[in-house]
Amino acid sequence: MPDCTVVVITYNDAARLPRAVRSVLRQSLRDLEVIIADDASTDGTPEVAARLADGDPRVRYLRREANSGGCGAPRNDGIDAAAAPYIMFLDSDDELPRHACKSLLTEIERTGADFVSGQISRLFESSGRLHPYYPSLFARRRVVGGIREDPQLFLDSFTTNKLYDVGRLRHRGLRFPEDIHYEDHVFAAGLYAVSHRFAVVPWVVYHWHRAPVNTSISLSIDDMENVRQRVIAARMSDDVLRAHGAGDLVPHRQRRFVRQDLRVYLHPLPARDLVWVKEFASIVRPYLEEIPAEVLDSAEPLERVCCRLILDDRIEDLRIAAGSLTGPRAAPRAAVQLDGRTYWGTTVSPGLDITRLRLAELPFSDSRLRHEATEIAGDGERVRMTVRTYDPFGVLPVDWTAFLQLGRQKIPINPQPSGGGSYVSEVVFAPTGKCTPRIGFTRDSDGHTTTDRIIADPHTGPIELPGCRVQVEGYAAYLCVRPEPAARSALRRARRALLKRVGTPRNKLRAYKIMIKVLPRRKNLALFESDVGKSCGGSPRAIYEELRRRRLPIEVVWSVAGSRSNFPSGVRLVRRGSWRYVWTMARAGIWVDSHGFPLDYPKPRGTRYLQTWHGQGIKSIGFDAPDLRSDFDGPRAQWRAAVARWDALVSPSAEFSRIFVPSNGYTGTVYRYGTPRCDALVRGEVTGDVRARLEIPRGRKILLYAPTYRDRAKGSGKSVRVDLELMADELAGDWVVVLRTHPVERYSPPEHLKHFVRSAGSYPEINDLMLASDALLTDYSSVMCDYAITGKPMVFFVDDWDDYRLSERGVYHDLPAIAPGPCVTTTEELVDVIRRLPGVHAAFAERYAAFRDLWCADERGDAAARVVEDFFK
C-alpha cells in the first residue's frame, strides 16, 4: 500500500499532462501512486497517459466512457480507486512542489487531523513569478478545531492544496457534485461542516499555473454561463452547510462569495459593455437579495457599494465603482458628505457609505481627484485629449496651478470649470519615455501638490508615436506611455551590454586597488557619506556644516545612493558605486561616514577615516550581532579589516565606549565629545517646519513612531507592529502619528490611514521630527537615546521582546528594567497610555533621569565643533 495517492484529473490536455505527472513522480515522498483520471479526452491524452503508466509502475490510468462536463466525476473516480490512506488532487495544467506530499503527510500524521491545507501559489508562466494566494490565511502553522474557530478559512475552498484522510472521506460520504462547475466550493463546504480538526501549514504545496492563454473553467469569466454556475455552487454550498446542521456558518460562507467570488467578475467590469453588465447583475442579484444585511455591512466599502448598485440595477454606476476595487483605486465622480459620513455617488444610502476609506479626510498632497480622458487622438508626434476632472471631496482650493506630469516633466494646463464641481482641460503632449501620465494641482498658498492618474475608455486603442506608444492598461483603465522595444538602437544596446560587463563590482574593486597604488592623495579632498548614501544627515552632515561655518579649505564630495533633493546646494555629488565614486575614494585624503564605506575597499595610504557611527542603544552590535556572531570566518575577517580602517571614532557616551569599542574590536582614537548630530537637539535648532511639510492640522499632537527593523525580516514592513487602524479609531481626533521607519525597511501606510499617519521615512532630518513631536513611540531603536535629550515622553511597544532578545537581534540591557517610559505589548495598552500620557510620564521621572545620565551625559551641543578641531586640525 502506498503512503499517498495523487489523483491527476485531465481532459484534452495531452501537452501538459506529462509535466503534472512528473511533478508527482519527482516528489521527495517516493512511496506514492498516481491515478490519471481522464474525463473521456478526444485528443492524444490516452496515448500520453499510457506511456506515462508504462514508464513508471506507480502510475495508473482511468478513463471515463463519456465526458462528464466537469471536474467532480473524475475526482470521485480517484477517491474510489485510491489505494493509499491519504489522497491529494492535481489538475493536469498545474504542478506540485517537490516536498508537497511528504510535508503534508508528516503533518497529518503528527496532528491526527481530518485534512491538512497548505499555501497555494499562482505561477504566472509569462514571467515565472509565484504569487501566494491569500497568504494571511497560511501565515502560521496551526491546528484548527473546526471551521467555527476561524470562519475566514472559507476563503480556502480549493480542493488541490489539501491532503485528505481517504477513510474519513469514504466513511462520511464526502463526494464532489458531478453536474456543476465550481464543485470544489460545494465539496469544501461539506468538508468544513463535518471536520472537527484540521491543520494549516504556511508553506507552498501547490503551483497553480496561469498560462497566457486561458483554458481553465475557473478563469473563463467572460462566459455568462460561468457566472450562473458560480451562483449555483454558492447556493448548493449554503444548502450543504444547513443539511449538516451548520446553518450558522452560512453567513460566513456568503461573506466569501462577496469578497472572492463576486470580485472575480467585478474587476474586469469597466471593460464590459452595458448589455453584459446588465445580464451579469440580473444573474447575481437574486442571490445577493438572499444574503443578510449584516453580511453586506461587513464587506469592504467598495464591495458593499458594488453590491448595492447591483441590487438597485444602477449599471453604469456599477461599472464606475468596479474600477475602484483594485490597484490605485480611482476616486468616484461624486460623493456626498453628511453628518460626518461620506457616501459614494450622489445618493445617501447605508449601502453606499465609504466613510471607512477616509477619502474625505486625507491631507491635500494625498487627496484624490478623478481624471477621465476622452477624445484621445494622435497626429504622429503628439497626443491630444480632453480630460474631465472631478473633485468629489471638495479639496481644490480657490487658488491653484494645474499641470500634466510625464515622469519628471511638467506641462502647464488650464482646466476650465464645467459645472458640478468638475473641470475640463484640453491637453497636448509629446511623451519622450516610459511614464504614467498624471494630472496635478499645486496649492498656491503653500506649494503642496496632489496628482492622480488619468482614466481612459478601456477600449481605446494604442496610439503609435516615435519610439513609444500611448495605451490603456489594467482593469481600472489607466493611461500609460510605453517605449517600443525596437526603439533602442543596436549600438546603444551593445554599449549598455559592454558597460554592464566591464562595470561589475569585482572589476571596480580590482581597478580601485590599482588606483590607490598609482594615484596621489589629495589631502584637502573629503568624501562624506551618511546612511550608505541614502541621505544627507546625521553626524556627517553636522560635521560638514561646521566645516562650512569655519570656512576650512576642504573640498567635500557627498556620496548619494538615492534622491539628490535633500543634499546641500552647490556641493559635489557622486553616485555611490559608480566609477566616479571609486575614483573619489582612491583620491580623497579624508573619509567621513556614519555606517561604513564598501567593506572590501582598503583605505589608501595617507587617507584618514573618521567613523561617526549612527546610533547607540541596547541592541547587540559588531561581532555580537546576528550576521557576525556565527563561526563563519569570512564575514568576521571582512568586518575586522573594515574596522581597522578607522582612524577615529565618535563616542556619544561612556556606555557606548564600554559596549561598542570591544564588540567591534576597535583600538584607535575615541572622541568622547557627545554626538555631532545631537547638537541641534541640545540647542533646539530646527531646519524646517514639520507641521507645514507633513500637513499636520493645528491642535493635533504628534506621536513620532520610529521602530527598528527585524534582522530576519528586513524590508518586509513587519517592524510596524502596532495596530495603526485601532490607533486611528481611538486617537485620530487628538493625535497624528508620524511614522519614521528604519532606512532598510519598506512600508507605506494604506490609504485609509493617511488621515492619521504621515509617512516620514524619507524626511531629510529626523532631529526636526523629534523636536516637533510631543512623544516618541519606539521599540528597540537607538532613537530612544537621542530622544532622551528632549526630555519628552517615550513609550515602548515590545510585543516581541522575548523573541528579539533571545533569538533575534539580542540586547545588552534589559529594556523593561531601564526604559524611561512604559513598555506595552498590545495596541489597547498603548492607546490607554497615550490617553494618560502626562501622568504616566511624570511617574517615570526618576528612571528618565537615570536613562539620560547613562546615554546623554556628554551631550553639550558642541560635539561637531570639538570633533572638527581635533580631526581636521
Side-chain angles (χ1 to χ4, degrees):
M1 179 186 295
D3 289 330
C4 177
T5 296
V6 179
V7 178
V8 182
I9 64 168
T10 187
Y11 175 69
N12 284 355
D13 198 18
R16 293 181 293 190
L17 177 61
R19 182 184 66 188
V21 173
R22 284 193 211 99
S23 78
V24 183
L25 298 178
R26 287 196 299 259
Q27 289 289 298
S28 54
L29 178 69
R30 305 298 297 167
D31 192 9
L32 49 73
E33 70 167 349
V34 182
I35 296 177
I36 300 174
D38 180 6
D39 200 9
S41 295
T42 58
D43 65 350
T45 294
E47 293 78 13
V48 170
R51 286 197 298 270
L52 290 168
D54 291 340
D56 195 306
R58 294 176 296 172
V59 179
R60 285 197 284 155
Y61 176 48
L62 304 179
R63 175 177 169 83
R64 298 184 66 83
E65 293 183 1
N67 180 258
S68 66
C71 300
R75 285 185 178 142
N76 287 334
D77 293 343
I79 293 175
D80 295 336
Y86 302 106
I87 191 171
M88 284 189 74
F89 298 99
L90 172 64
D91 294 344
S92 60
D93 53 345
D94 299 329
E95 291 180 275
L96 295 182
R98 187 167 185 269
H99 301 294
C101 293
K102 187 173 185 177
S103 63
L104 292 177
L105 178 65
T106 301
E107 194 71 3
I108 201 168
E109 290 181 339
R110 184 184 72 85
T111 61
D114 293 343
F115 66 91
V116 182
S117 183
Q119 177 72 67
I120 190 169
S121 274
R122 291 169 290 184
L123 195 162
F124 291 87
E125 294 181 354
S126 57
S127 65
R129 293 182 178 179
L130 280 170
H131 293 267
Y133 205 67
Y134 285 114
S136 60
L137 297 179
F138 306 94
R140 59 188 179 88
R141 186 178 183 179
R142 65 196 191 277
V143 175
V144 183
I147 190 66
R148 287 182 178 85
E149 192 173 289
D150 191 359
Q152 187 172 269
L153 284 167
F154 273 119
L155 287 168
D156 176 22
S157 290
F158 298 99
T159 297
T160 51
N161 64 330
K162 298 175 177 64
L163 180 75
Y164 309 87
D165 184 315
V166 176
R168 291 177 181 176
L169 292 184
R170 292 169 177 167
H171 175 72
R172 293 166 177 169
L174 282 174
R175 298 180 69 79
F176 293 89
E178 300 186 359
D179 53 351
I180 64 163
H181 296 161
Y182 301 107
E183 72 296 325
D184 48 348
H185 295 186
V186 184
F187 178 82
L191 180 71
Y192 282 130
V194 302
S195 297
H196 303 296
R197 178 184 174 86
F198 57 91
V200 176
V201 296
W203 53 83
V204 175
V205 300
Y206 195 85
H207 287 167
W208 179 17
H209 278 254
R210 302 292 292 269
V213 179
N214 169 47
T215 57
S216 169
I217 291 174
S218 62
L219 299 177
S220 302
I221 57 175
D222 296 338
D223 184 3
M224 202 60 68
E225 182 59 25
N226 185 282
V227 182
R228 294 189 181 91
Q229 288 288 319
R230 200 180 288 259
V231 172
I232 291 171
R235 279 207 174 91
M236 289 182 65
S237 299
D238 295 347
D239 292 342
V240 165
L241 290 174
R242 296 186 184 102
H244 285 92
D248 59 304
L249 292 173
V250 170
H252 295 290
R253 209 221 63 82
Q254 291 172 333
R255 176 70 188 94
R256 176 232 148 81
F257 178 84
V258 174
R259 181 177 176 183
Q260 170 60 32
D261 299 333
L262 187 61
R263 286 186 69 137
V264 168
Y265 304 102
L266 292 176
H267 288 165
L269 218 56
R272 307 289 193 195
D273 61 62
L274 287 175
V275 174
W276 196 100
V277 179
K278 192 169 186 67
E279 185 176 358
F280 160 75
S282 69
I283 293 171
V284 172
R285 187 180 301 115
Y287 183 64
L288 284 182
E289 289 172 342
E290 300 172 15
I291 296 178
E294 57 267 23
V295 174
L296 298 181
D297 290 344
S298 68
E300 292 297 318
L302 284 170
E303 293 172 353
R304 188 171 62 248
V305 166
C306 288
C307 289
R308 185 70 263 163
L309 296 174
I310 291 172
L311 291 169
D312 292 345
D313 199 25
R314 294 168 57 180
I315 303 306
E316 178 57 33
D317 287 343
L318 175 61
R319 282 206 306 184
I320 295 172
S324 299
L325 281 169
T326 60
R329 301 177 178 181
R333 287 177 175 171
V336 177
Q337 298 178 56
L338 182 67
D339 298 330
R341 311 297 298 178
T342 305
Y343 301 88
W344 192 94
T346 58
T347 307
V348 174
S349 165
L352 302 178
D353 191 325
I354 58 171
T355 307
R356 279 169 52 197
L357 296 178
R358 304 295 179 185
L359 293 174
E361 303 168 47
L362 296 173
F364 181 76
S365 56
D366 289 313
S367 59
R368 302 303 309 277
L369 303 173
R370 184 182 182 93
H371 310 293
E372 295 184 6
T374 59
E375 303 174 20
I376 305 175
D379 60 9
E381 294 184 354
R382 297 179 299 178
V383 175
R384 297 178 180 273
M385 62 184 178
T386 301
V387 179
R388 181 176 294 275
T389 294
Y390 299 88
D391 181 14
F393 308 108
V395 300
L396 287 180
V398 175
D399 298 319
W400 45 257
T401 304
F403 57 89
L404 171 72
Q405 182 171 320
L406 301 171
R408 295 182 180 179
Q409 181 185 13
K410 290 185 178 180
I411 302 172
I413 60 175
N414 186 27
Q416 297 296 312
S418 60
S422 64
Y423 302 83
V424 173
S425 311
E426 299 300 326
V427 179
V428 180
F429 66 97
T432 57
K434 180 180 179 179
C435 67
T436 302
R438 306 174 75 93
I439 298 293
F441 286 81
T442 298
R443 193 162 56 189
D444 293 342
S445 61
D446 56 17
H448 284 295
T449 294
T450 183
T451 67
D452 242 313
R453 300 172 71 173
I454 301 172
I455 303 169
D457 185 334
H459 302 101
T460 302
I463 299 173
E464 303 292 342
L465 297 172
C468 66
R469 62 167 54 187
V470 179
Q471 61 191 37
V472 174
E473 294 183 1
Y475 289 140
Y478 285 110
L479 202 63
C480 300
V481 178
R482 297 292 180 254
E484 291 287 359
R488 187 180 296 163
S489 69
L491 180 61
R492 188 179 176 187
R493 289 197 300 270
R495 180 174 177 271
R496 287 172 62 92
L498 178 62
L499 289 175
K500 185 176 181 180
R501 179 175 298 180
V502 173
T504 63
R506 178 176 294 182
N507 285 342
K508 287 179 179 176
L509 180 56
R510 287 172 177 168
Y512 171 81
K513 290 180 177 179
I514 296 172
M515 290 179 193
I516 63 176
K517 293 178 181 179
V518 300
L519 293 176
R521 230 62 59 226
R522 287 184 51 193
K523 291 186 177 181
N524 67 335
L525 176 63
L527 178 60
F528 274 57
E529 187 170 282
S530 177
D531 191 18
V532 201
K534 294 177 183 176
S535 68
C536 178
S539 291
R541 178 65 179 265
I543 292 170
Y544 167 77
E545 297 293 350
E546 182 66 19
L547 290 176
R548 279 207 315 183
R549 188 182 69 80
R550 294 177 181 236
R551 297 182 179 178
L552 294 182
I554 296 174
E555 181 183 354
V556 174
V557 178
W558 276 94
S559 161
V560 56
S563 172
R564 298 169 178 245
S565 59
N566 295 317
F567 282 77
S569 60
V571 74
R572 282 179 56 194
L573 300 179
V574 60
R575 177 67 59 182
R576 193 177 199 269
S578 67
W579 280 109
R580 190 172 295 277
Y581 177 81
V582 173
W583 171 269
T584 306
M585 283 189 72
R587 293 273 281 153
I590 299 170
W591 291 359
V592 179
D593 91 327
S594 62
H595 286 67
F597 287 106
L599 297 182
D600 290 327
Y601 281 63
K603 186 182 62 173
R605 181 175 297 176
T607 295
R608 295 184 302 128
Y609 185 171
L610 173 63
Q611 174 57 256
T612 67
W613 207 243
H614 51 277
Q616 58 174 335
I618 69 167
K619 300 186 294 184
S620 66
I621 197 70
F623 294 110
D624 298 329
D627 52 343
L628 293 178
R629 63 184 173 222
S630 64
D631 293 330
F632 297 106
D633 292 334
R636 293 172 69 86
Q638 183 187 47
W639 182 244
R640 190 174 292 108
V643 170
R645 299 178 300 177
W646 304 348
D647 294 288
L649 170 69
V650 173
S651 171
S653 66
E655 185 66 8
F656 178 86
S657 296
R658 183 184 73 83
I659 294 173
F660 184 91
V661 171
S663 57
N664 284 276
Y666 177 66
T667 58
T669 301
V670 176
Y671 292 148
R672 278 277 309 280
Y673 303 146
T675 317
R677 71 172 179 277
C678 291
D679 289 348
L681 291 176
V682 175
R683 298 194 293 259
E685 296 175 351
V686 296
T687 59
D689 189 340
V690 171
R691 284 187 174 272
R693 184 161 177 170
L694 297 182
E695 302 178 78
I696 299 174
R698 288 184 178 181
R700 300 279 179 89
K701 290 174 283 190
I702 298 175
L703 179 64
L704 174 59
Y705 180 25
T708 191
Y709 66 90
R710 300 308 188 265
D711 287 84
R712 295 196 297 250
K714 290 180 182 179
S716 68
K718 292 183 179 179
S719 65
V720 181
R721 303 181 66 86
V722 301
D723 186 342
L724 292 172
E725 191 146 357
L726 175 59
M727 289 184 68
D729 290 342
E730 299 293 333
L731 301 173
D734 301 311
W735 289 83
V736 167
V737 167
V738 172
L739 177 61
R740 176 76 170 199
T741 52
H742 192 279
V744 305
E745 192 61 286
R746 293 182 181 178
Y747 178 83
S748 179
E751 185 177 61
H752 71 280
L753 291 180
K754 289 183 178 179
H755 71 294
F756 175 66
V757 180
R758 301 292 190 271
S759 184
S762 60
Y763 197 91
E765 184 50 69
I766 190 174
N767 282 348
D768 288 355
L769 300 179
M770 288 192 273
L771 291 170
S773 67
D774 296 281
L776 171 71
L777 170 62
T778 188
D779 43 24
Y780 320 110
S781 172
S782 60
V783 72
M784 68 177 78
C785 300
D786 292 358
Y787 199 83
I789 296 172
T790 70
K792 291 186 283 192
M794 286 189 266
V795 184
F796 300 85
F797 193 82
V798 293
D799 64 321
D800 62 339
W801 168 244
D802 286 337
D803 181 60
Y804 191 85
R805 68 187 178 91
L806 296 175
S807 60
E808 236 274 352
R809 182 60 180 258
V811 296
Y812 296 112
H813 293 271
D814 183 2
L815 180 62
I818 69 166
C823 292
V824 299
T825 58
T826 67
T827 305
E828 289 80 4
E829 288 181 84
L830 172 61
V831 168
D832 179 62
V833 165
I834 297 298
R835 285 174 171 161
R836 301 183 294 108
L837 197 55
V840 172
H841 181 50
F844 278 82
E846 185 175 341
R847 228 200 244 188
Y848 205 118
F851 191 86
R852 289 184 66 172
D853 287 342
L854 183 64
W855 302 107
C856 309
D858 293 336
E859 303 294 355
R860 298 179 177 85
D862 61 353
R866 297 178 68 184
V867 169
V868 167
E869 286 174 4
D870 271 10
F871 189 79
F872 293 90
K873 58 188 176 184

